[in-house]
């Protein structure tokens, strides 16, 4: 019977076989799917949004908040010291939670992720972290170019290599205080250093009629390498390497304001016949 059914499928025209498909929020790239936008996080059980300005783990969150309620008064200008910590939802202060990755436009992407938190958030969404080959392939677009927008670096096309560093603004030292929850709230004039997902309109990797946003800049993104590798470059990283930008000098438990994620998934093939084939 199995051989008979398989033979019938082989006789169907190609148009009767649905193409490999991806979830609505993902783009199709060769044989895999990739999130169009950097990950924001929700609680896996309740679906309630998690703050993007704190680690997505209850113990880390409370530790960081306790530290920076004191440390924010130590360095920086009077104006910087007076800048309050980001508010937390009341429930997130008292309840346990586990992060799930969401890909959506026009939201603040979540930083402060370790490799393990990023990996688990993607798994809770039924996805996985991208391999480096998948990530770079998607970033380079269908034309296989070194930057999402073309063959040469263009300043300002992606949200990378900004002229100021948030730690220098808040702490008078770009190398200090990288777990400060306020860092991704710093502005350059009226322009946030960390922009909303899809907010840098010139920075899109093009696949046919589809687009994948912010693969260069905005946040660094963890990939599937338990040695600890993140790619793409964040908004203040001084890199012009585009899709080849990568950092491998930190362990998998490292996190700071700039470490985010994007998820991948194998494309799902469907053998459902088309409506015209069904009518036969």
């Amino acid at each position: 019977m199995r051989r008979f059914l398989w033979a019938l499928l082989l006789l169907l025209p190609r148009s009767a076989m649905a193409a490999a498909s991806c979830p609505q929020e993902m783009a199709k790239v060769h044989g895999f799917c990739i999130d169009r936008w950097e990950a924001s996080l929700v609680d896996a059980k309740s679906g309630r949004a998690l703050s993007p300005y704190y680690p997505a783990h209850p113990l880390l969150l409370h530790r960081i908040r306790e530290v920076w309620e004191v440390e924010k008064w130590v360095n920086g200008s009077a104006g910087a010291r007076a800048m309050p910590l980001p508010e937390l939802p009341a429930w997130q202060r008292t309840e346990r939670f586990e992060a799930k990755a969401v890909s959506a436009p026009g939201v603040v992407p979540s930083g402060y992720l370790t490799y393990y938190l990023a990996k688990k958030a993607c798994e809770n969404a039924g996805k996985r972290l991208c391999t480096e080959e998948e990530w770079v392939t998607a970033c380079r677009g269908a034309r296989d170019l070194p930057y999402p927008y073309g063959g040469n670096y263009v300043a300002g096309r992606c949200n990378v290599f900004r002229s100021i560093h948030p730690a220098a603004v808040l702490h008078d030292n770009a190398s200090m205080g990288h777990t400060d929850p306020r860092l991704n709230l710093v502005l350059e004039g009226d322009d946030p250093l960390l922009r909303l997902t899809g907010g840098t309109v010139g920075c899109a990797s093009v696949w046919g009629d589809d687009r994948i946003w912010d693969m260069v800049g905005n946040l660094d993104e963890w990939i599937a390498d338990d040695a600890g590798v993140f790619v793409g470059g964040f908004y203040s990283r001084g890199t012009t390497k585009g899709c080849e930008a990568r950092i491998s000098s930190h362990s998998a438990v490292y996190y700071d304001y700039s470490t985010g994620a994007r998820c991948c998934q194998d494309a799902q093939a469907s053998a459902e016949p088309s409506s015209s084939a069904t009518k036969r």
Side-chain angles (χ1 to χ4, degrees):
M1 178 61 72
R2 288 182 180 177
R3 289 182 179 178
F4 175 72
L5 291 173
W6 181 243
L8 284 178
L9 288 173
L10 291 176
L11 289 174
L12 290 173
R14 287 186 180 271
S15 60
M17 300 292 290
S21 61
C22 297
Q24 186 175 7
E25 73 279 8
M26 304 185 86
K28 173 73 163 45
V29 176
H30 299 319
F32 66 95
C33 310
I34 185 167
D35 285 343
R36 291 190 185 91
W37 301 279
E38 294 167 309
S40 53
L41 302 179
V42 301
D43 175 43
K45 184 176 181 180
S46 68
R48 292 175 292 186
L50 300 177
S51 171
Y53 304 115
Y54 293 91
H57 186 282
L59 295 179
L60 290 178
L61 181 155
H62 290 300
R63 183 186 309 161
I64 289 300
R65 189 167 177 86
E66 288 173 1
V67 166
W68 283 99
E69 282 177 341
V70 175
E71 288 294 319
K72 78 184 190 73
W73 298 105
V74 174
N75 295 300
S77 66
R81 292 196 300 271
M83 183 179 179
L85 297 183
E87 286 298 322
L88 272 170
W91 70 270
Q92 200 176 341
R93 296 186 182 192
T94 58
E95 299 179 25
R96 296 197 63 82
F97 58 85
E98 188 170 279
K100 172 184 172 181
V102 174
S103 179
V107 298
V108 179
S110 294
Y112 303 89
L113 292 179
T114 68
Y115 161 80
Y116 297 107
L117 287 173
K119 180 174 182 288
K120 187 62 175 177
C122 286
E123 290 172 351
N124 283 338
K127 303 174 184 178
R128 56 178 172 78
L129 286 177
C130 307
T131 67
E132 187 163 7
E133 181 179 4
E134 287 172 333
W135 194 96
V136 173
T137 297
C139 181
R140 291 176 68 93
R143 295 190 296 159
D144 193 25
L145 297 172
Y147 303 91
Y149 47 81
N152 298 291
Y153 174 74
V154 179
R157 284 292 296 272
C158 290
N159 189 24
V160 71
F161 215 148
R162 298 287 290 270
S163 61
I164 65 172
H165 193 289
V169 172
L170 292 183
H171 310 137
D172 291 333
N173 189 328
S175 64
M176 290 180 56
H178 288 183
T179 61
D180 187 338
R182 304 172 298 165
L183 290 168
N184 285 339
L185 290 167
V186 173
L187 304 178
E188 182 180 11
D190 294 329
D191 186 14
L193 288 179
L194 178 62
R195 293 175 180 155
L196 302 182
T197 53
T200 308
V201 295
C203 190
S205 302
V206 179
W207 287 89
D209 294 331
D210 215 339
R211 302 288 187 274
I212 308 167
W213 302 94
D214 301 316
M215 296 202 73
V216 171
N218 229 34
L219 289 178
D220 278 306
E221 300 175 13
W222 288 104
I223 56 169
D225 186 333
D226 59 11
V229 178
F230 42 84
V231 291
F234 80 103
Y235 54 79
S236 287
R237 190 177 301 290
T239 179
T240 61
K241 291 184 178 180
C243 297
E244 301 300 323
R246 73 194 299 271
I247 297 293
S248 58
S249 56
H250 297 290
S251 72
V253 297
Y254 177 82
Y255 68 93
D256 66 23
Y257 63 104
S258 71
T259 53
R262 186 186 305 262
C263 306
C264 279
Q265 186 183 81
D266 294 339
Q268 300 298 310
S270 171
E272 294 181 3
S274 67
S275 57
S276 60
T278 306
K279 291 178 182 179
R280 294 186 178 187

